[in-house]
Amino acid sequence: MKNRKSKWIWGGICLSVFIIIIFVYIFRETILLKAGNFMAPAGDYKADVAILEGAEFISTGVITSGIDLLSSGKVKRIVIVLQNIAPAHRPYGINGNYPDIVLQKLKNLDLKETEFKVIVVPIRHPVTLKEAEVVLKALSKDNTKSAILLSPGFHTRRSYLAYQHVGIPLQIKIFPFASFTNYQLNNWWVQEPGVRDFTVELLKLGYYLAGGYIPFKFSY
């Protein structure tokens, strides 16, 4: 009797797993698109500033998106965030101080000096959270109350949550805005850079949550 009951239980489990697999396969594109939208939140916002998130360097696509926000009147100025790196670690062929090069390029676009700013942040663990602390503390001194955070691809979710966490006590509202240059959101799962970026950023998001760097209540 027990053996027959066990067989029915295992049969039910196997059938349920099979149905789930079929369901996931049939609706895989919808599921993957929703997962991508979760990791790369975006919207149509207006704010005091746009924070353009870079690393050692910043992509032309992110800069272009930030300037579009500025020219459309959705923000009053743009803030470019760069990580501080030693000259020996810069790519070969980049002469001079990179933040100064970025500043000069922006000046060449005939932007007013009040419309852009470059903030160089130290590289300290956890990098994104420490970056948010430096940037938002600097902006709070300028009486900034809202910011559109323009981040690359699937990095947006973790960055948004880190900036949101830091911004709440400073009374700075953060709006996420994902920028895509190496892959497209609507079919990221068939593009190698998209799959790689999604996997890496999902793991990093889990690390930030598990490490307590981002409260779980902000993980929506």
Side-chain angles (χ1 to χ4, degrees), residues 12 15 20 28 37 43 45 57 72 85 94 104 111 121 124-125 147 157-158 166 170 175 177 179 183 188 215 217:
L15 179 61
I20 291 172
R28 62 190 182 281
N37 283 320
Y45 307 111
F57 300 92
S72 66
I85 59 170
I94 298 294
Q104 188 57 53
L111 296 177
V121 298
R124 298 196 305 249
H125 180 78
R157 171 58 62 177
R158 179 166 54 95
V166 176
L170 295 174
F175 303 105
F177 191 102
S179 175
Y183 52 92
W188 63 265
K217 65 180 180 178

Side-chain angles (χ1 to χ4, degrees), residues 1 75 77 83 120 137 150 208 210:
M1 189 74 176
V75 297
R77 61 185 177 129
Q83 294 175 353
V120 180
K137 284 179 182 178
L150 211 159
Y208 264 54

Side-chain angles (χ1 to χ4, degrees), residues 3-22:
N3 288 338
R4 182 178 296 178
K5 187 175 181 180
S6 296
K7 287 180 180 178
W8 275 106
I9 291 173
W10 279 109
I13 292 173
C14 291
L15 179 61
S16 298
V17 171
F18 179 74
I19 292 173
I20 291 172
I21 292 173
I22 294 297

Side-chain angles (χ1 to χ4, degrees), residues 64-75 78 111 115:
T64 301
S65 296
I67 292 175
D68 287 343
L69 290 174
L70 182 64
S71 61
S72 66
K74 293 182 177 179
V75 297
I78 58 176
L111 296 177
E115 292 181 326

Side-chain angles (χ1 to χ4, degrees), residues 15-190:
L15 179 61
S16 298
V17 171
F18 179 74
I19 292 173
I20 291 172
I21 292 173
I22 294 297
F23 177 84
V24 170
Y25 178 78
I26 293 173
F27 297 101
R28 62 190 182 281
E29 291 192 0
T30 301
I31 293 170
L32 290 170
L33 184 58
K34 287 185 178 295
N37 283 320
F38 172 78
M39 291 296 290
D44 187 16
Y45 307 111
K46 290 188 71 174
D48 294 335
V49 303
I51 300 171
L52 280 55
E53 197 178 15
E56 295 91 345
F57 300 92
I58 190 165
S59 72
T60 300
V62 172
I63 293 287
T64 301
S65 296
I67 292 175
D68 287 343
L69 290 174
L70 182 64
S71 61
S72 66
K74 293 182 177 179
V75 297
K76 300 172 185 175
R77 61 185 177 129
I78 58 176
V79 176
I80 295 91
V81 180
L82 298 171
Q83 294 175 353
N84 188 25
I85 59 170
H89 294 160
R90 296 175 191 149
Y92 180 76
I94 298 294
N95 299 317
N97 183 276
Y98 181 68
D100 289 342
I101 294 173
V102 173
L103 278 171
Q104 188 57 53
K105 287 286 187 181
L106 292 171
K107 290 177 181 179
N108 293 342
L109 294 175
D110 293 328
L111 296 177
K112 299 176 183 177
E113 291 194 7
T114 56
E115 292 181 326
F116 63 91
K117 181 177 184 178
V118 174
I119 296 179
V120 180
V121 298
I123 302 176
R124 298 196 305 249
H125 180 78
V127 176
T128 302
L129 182 63
K130 293 300 181 182
E131 169 198 309
E133 291 174 354
V134 172
V135 173
L136 293 185
K137 284 179 182 178
L139 292 181
S140 68
K141 295 177 182 178
D142 297 336
N143 202 34
T144 298
K145 297 300 181 184
S146 59
I148 295 175
L149 178 64
L150 211 159
S151 302
F154 296 133
H155 174 65
T156 305
R157 171 58 62 177
R158 179 166 54 95
S159 185
Y160 165 55
L161 294 176
Y163 271 81
Q164 182 190 55
H165 179 44
V166 176
I168 286 177
L170 295 174
Q171 296 184 326
I172 299 177
K173 178 68 176 177
I174 305 297
F175 303 105
F177 191 102
S179 175
F180 291 89
T181 54
N182 295 328
Y183 52 92
Q184 297 301 313
L185 178 61
N186 61 351
N187 62 348
W188 63 265
W189 53 91
V190 298

Side-chain angles (χ1 to χ4, degrees), residues 202-219:
L202 187 62
L203 291 173
K204 287 183 177 180
L205 176 61
Y207 172 75
Y208 264 54
L209 290 169
Y213 303 124
I214 301 171
F216 272 96
K217 65 180 180 178
F218 293 135
S219 60

